[in-house]
Amino acid sequence: MRTPARDGASEGMSLVDPRVMDPDHELVVREHLSAQEIEETVAVLEAMSSWRERERSMSEQARRYMRLGETDMRALRFLIAAQRQGVVTTPGSMAAHLGISPAAATKLVDRLEAGGHVRRIADTDDRRRTSIEVTESTRVSARASVGRSHARRFDAVAGLSPDDRRAVIRFFDALLESSEWTVPDEGAHD
């Protein structure tokens, strides 16, 4: 059962309902929708907001459990996925995946290695090149926290009908297409 998103808001306060947030129809065009269609649309937006808040909370719990920061967790997820697929990961490939500089990747690997989460492995052919592997203890911890959460999400999606899964994919594709950030004109906030 879904509970309404709160995001720190007062009980009953909506942060996603355009009837509340955009009463003058300045941004959200909704004249073509019936009252029921608006209610259903707002219910979807509230469900998304609730999920986003739950996902943030679960991610924070996993980071605290593993005593890591957000970038550290992203790095470990990448490393674990690479290892499972037999892909050799270097500090450079990790930097590219995370969108960080090589220097930042080196510091990240140093920090993860000092915490016992990863180990560097020298290339036998080129000693200047190293790969990175997640330690067994960290792999087990990640599996117990993040892995179990992912398995439950997979089960939720697998429980949908094929038509419902296709509808969800169309929905997320439409969200992705609509998710371009635009910077307002300089005078817009005056």
Side-chain angles (χ1 to χ4, degrees):
M1 181 71 164
R2 184 179 60 76
T3 58
R6 292 293 165 237
D7 295 332
S10 299
E11 185 70 28
M13 183 176 162
S14 177
L15 301 178
V16 297
D17 190 336
R19 296 168 296 190
V20 175
M21 302 304 289
D22 184 29
D24 297 326
H25 301 248
E26 294 174 29
L27 297 172
V28 180
V29 177
R30 55 189 183 274
E31 292 81 10
H32 64 289
L33 299 173
S34 69
Q36 180 176 346
E37 289 171 316
I38 291 172
E39 284 295 325
E40 292 168 350
T41 302
V42 168
V44 169
L45 293 172
E46 287 175 345
M48 283 175 45
S49 185
S50 293
W51 167 248
R52 204 168 32 246
E53 184 58 33
R54 175 71 55 88
E55 183 74 3
R56 267 193 293 263
S57 174
M58 290 185 321
S59 181
E60 178 60 31
Q61 288 172 4
R63 286 194 308 268
R64 277 196 312 267
Y65 172 72
M66 295 186 69
R67 295 181 182 96
L68 296 168
E70 185 174 342
T71 303
D72 300 356
M73 286 295 285
R74 288 180 53 222
L76 288 177
R77 281 194 295 271
F78 173 69
L79 291 167
I80 289 169
Q83 272 180 241
R84 288 225 175 256
Q85 296 172 48
V87 175
V88 174
T89 307
T90 64
S93 63
M94 190 173 70
H97 174 77
L98 297 172
I100 60 177
S101 71
T106 298
K107 287 180 183 178
L108 173 61
V109 173
D110 289 345
R111 189 170 58 248
L112 291 173
E113 188 175 41
H117 297 290
V118 301
R119 66 180 157 269
R120 287 179 167 101
I121 300 171
D123 188 313
T124 55
D125 296 327
D126 181 354
R127 301 278 304 165
R128 294 170 297 173
R129 181 181 146 150
T130 61
S131 60
I132 310 159
E133 286 188 354
V134 173
T135 62
E136 182 62 17
S137 62
T138 292
R139 189 193 66 73
V140 168
S141 291
R143 186 171 178 82
S145 59
V146 179
R148 290 193 195 284
S149 294
H150 178 70
R152 288 190 296 270
R153 286 191 300 271
F154 183 90
D155 289 344
V157 174
L160 298 173
S161 71
D163 286 342
D164 287 346
R165 284 192 294 269
R166 283 189 291 275
V168 169
I169 291 168
R170 282 192 311 273
F171 168 70
F172 280 113
D173 285 346
L175 280 183
L176 286 171
E177 277 194 35
S178 71
S179 295
E180 187 175 315
W181 172 258
T182 56
V183 179
D185 294 336
E186 285 296 318
H189 62 279
D190 292 340

